[in-house]
Amino acid sequence: MTPARTSAREPGLPVLGADAAGALTDRHARTIRYLRVSVTDRCNYRCAYCMPAEGWAMSPRAEVLRLEEIVALIGHFAALGVERIRLTGGEPLVRRGIVELVGQIAGVPGIREIAMTTNGHLLPSMAADLYAAGLRSLNVSLDSLDPQRFAALTRGGDLARVLAGLDAAARAGFADIKVNAVVVAGQNDHELADLAEFCWTRDIQPRFIELMPIGQLEFARPENVVTTDRMLASVGKRYHLLPSGNECGVNPRGPAKYWRVTEGRHAGRRLGIISPLSDDGFCATCNRGRLTSLGGFRPCLGNDEEVSLRDALRGGRSAVEIEKLIRDAVHGKLAAHNMHDVARAPRDAMTGIGG
Ligand code: SAM
Ligand code: SF4
């Protein structure tokens, strides 16, 4: 149950972690209006860049945030100016009650947009219900169009199911669908133009992601990283591309930068690239924080610092106290992530943090 709210701000007094209007703002003048929520650390796939092949222990259920706790915490973030929620994981669609959760978040005052990042495996049967519940934006992970390579990268994933999931999402009415591909040297880096074309012909936005060294995975080592320049060079063999702006900035969105095709059949189509390693300015426009599956609030994906909002909630802390914890954490958000130094990169798994 959410504790009764009274204002955490005294008129005229500056508040750490807040701008003049009370929005969540850090020491580097970045405003946080976007929260990514890991609703489970469980997954029906086991992607090589995300989870170890074996030896991975799921968190005890009692430690995982209950659905009503997720809604209550989102209420606190919304009170602090957060407007956009992305449900992720682990695989959000394996969390029981996920459709109802979407509906409840849609009812939280101040939340204007709910998105989800999913591997797509369960979309064929769930896309219509998710849309009806209020979900409007979907990012589907798709690293390869080759069924065997897809199965190898995801350790058992079913490409046909994911493609059927994309079709089901389009049929359900989703107009904002993106495909995310983590690019891995020697695995799928020769497929980038094919992946982009696949998306453009279906009115889907392709986005390539640099491999990040998260969770101490052997697979996520530097020699497997494909830099943004190399991705552009690869697609550039088939398509002429020009920079087309940033998702961040005046109207903050996500972390991708965009390039536009200038000629040919796909002229005008855009390609997004998420470059946490190649782009020195990546962190300067960061507009987001993360709520982990265990209820930790992480202002940054790129290091393990967090504050437990679950413990605060279960410990009966007031709304004012919980919102102060959030403000303080945002105030302390580091200027930049630690991922250039593998020894200081996040040790916790991406599934729990929420990729
Ligand atoms: N299961 C869902 C999925 O795969 O889309 C959501 C969770 S997954 C952790 C969220 C995103 O993180 C996916 O797009 C995935 O490809 C990406 N991801 C996972 N591990 C990564 C890594 N080491 N580097 C870069 N992106 C990664
Ligand atoms: Fe599961 Fe997504 Fe991680 Fe793959 S990237 S193992 S689908 S959480």
Side-chain angles (χ1 to χ4, degrees):
M1 183 145 156
T2 313
R5 180 187 313 288
T6 54
S7 173
R9 295 190 76 224
E10 295 293 331
L13 287 179
V15 177
L16 288 183
D19 67 8
L24 283 172
T25 304
D26 73 4
R27 286 173 296 173
H28 312 285
R30 297 171 297 191
T31 297
I32 308 301
R33 294 203 183 275
Y34 175 20
L35 183 71
R36 303 176 67 113
V37 180
S38 173
V39 296
T40 178
D41 63 356
R42 289 164 163 76
C43 188
N44 45 1
Y45 285 5
R46 225 180 161 88
C47 302
Y49 47 74
C50 179
M51 291 174 84
E54 50 198 36
W56 181 81
M58 290 180 293
S59 303
R61 282 194 195 277
E63 292 182 16
V64 175
L65 282 182
R66 297 189 286 270
L67 297 183
E68 63 271 24
E69 291 174 325
I70 294 175
V71 176
L73 289 175
I74 287 174
H76 291 300
F77 281 98
L80 295 168
V82 166
E83 298 171 335
R84 298 177 60 220
I85 300 293
R86 176 169 298 281
L87 302 176
T88 177
E91 173 49 40
L93 296 183
V94 304
R95 176 79 198 246
R96 199 172 301 155
I98 186 73
V99 173
E100 292 73 19
L101 178 66
V102 169
Q104 286 167 22
I105 296 170
V108 173
I111 297 302
R112 297 186 344 176
E113 185 184 321
I114 312 170
M116 180 181 283
T117 301
T118 169
N119 62 29
H121 186 87
L122 292 171
L123 274 180
S125 59
M126 297 180 75
D129 288 345
L130 289 163
Y131 190 85
L135 192 72
R136 286 295 175 269
S137 170
L138 270 177
N139 289 3
V140 178
S141 294
L142 175 60
D143 303 322
S144 174
L145 294 169
D146 177 296
Q148 274 149 19
R149 188 171 300 110
F150 182 83
L153 267 171
T154 53
R155 298 202 187 98
D158 180 348
L159 177 64
R161 280 283 295 255
V162 177
L163 300 185
L166 284 169
D167 289 344
R171 273 198 310 277
F174 284 95
D176 180 8
I177 305 178
K178 301 187 185 81
V179 154
N180 287 340
V182 177
V183 184
V184 185
Q187 301 280 333
N188 61 351
D189 49 342
H190 61 288
E191 276 195 71
L192 302 187
D194 290 343
L195 277 164
E197 256 174 40
F198 168 88
C199 293
W200 291 330
T201 53
R202 286 162 182 77
D203 222 5
I204 291 172
Q205 182 81 72
R207 302 194 319 168
F208 299 145
I209 307 175
E210 286 180 346
L211 177 67
M212 292 179 258
I214 292 180
Q216 299 182 288
L217 290 179
E218 181 61 15
F219 192 86
R221 54 181 183 258
E223 57 269 34
N224 281 344
V225 173
V226 178
T227 59
T228 296
D229 282 352
R230 282 168 56 200
M231 295 182 202
L232 287 171
S234 172
V235 180
K237 286 183 201 154
R238 209 179 293 172
Y239 293 97
H240 188 247
L241 299 165
L242 280 180
S244 145
N246 198 329
E247 281 186 326
C248 298
V250 178
N251 177 23
R253 302 283 301 170
K257 276 190 175 164
Y258 281 90
W259 282 261
R260 194 176 288 278
V261 180
T262 60
E263 56 199 24
R265 189 158 71 93
H266 295 295
R269 293 287 184 180
R270 296 206 308 163
L271 167 68
I273 304 189
I274 299 173
S275 319
L277 301 177
S278 302
D279 180 1
D280 289 340
F282 186 77
C283 299
T285 50
C286 183
N287 60 354
R288 53 205 171 274
R290 283 176 167 79
L291 183 62
T292 73
S293 55
L294 302 185
F297 172 54
R298 292 192 177 211
C300 175
L301 171 66
N303 60 68
D304 281 326
E305 284 175 28
E306 68 174 48
V307 56
S308 178
L309 301 182
R310 178 200 64 195
D311 291 353
L313 200 62
R314 291 185 185 174
R317 304 277 287 273
S318 70
V320 170
E321 289 171 316
I322 290 172
E323 289 167 21
K324 180 168 186 321
L325 289 175
I326 297 170
R327 284 185 198 283
D328 288 349
V330 166
H331 180 73
K333 183 173 161 82
L334 296 183
H337 64 67
N338 287 341
M339 289 191 282
H340 291 293
D341 177 358
V342 175
R344 291 167 63 224
R347 303 173 74 81
D348 293 336
M350 184 78 116
T351 47
I353 303 171

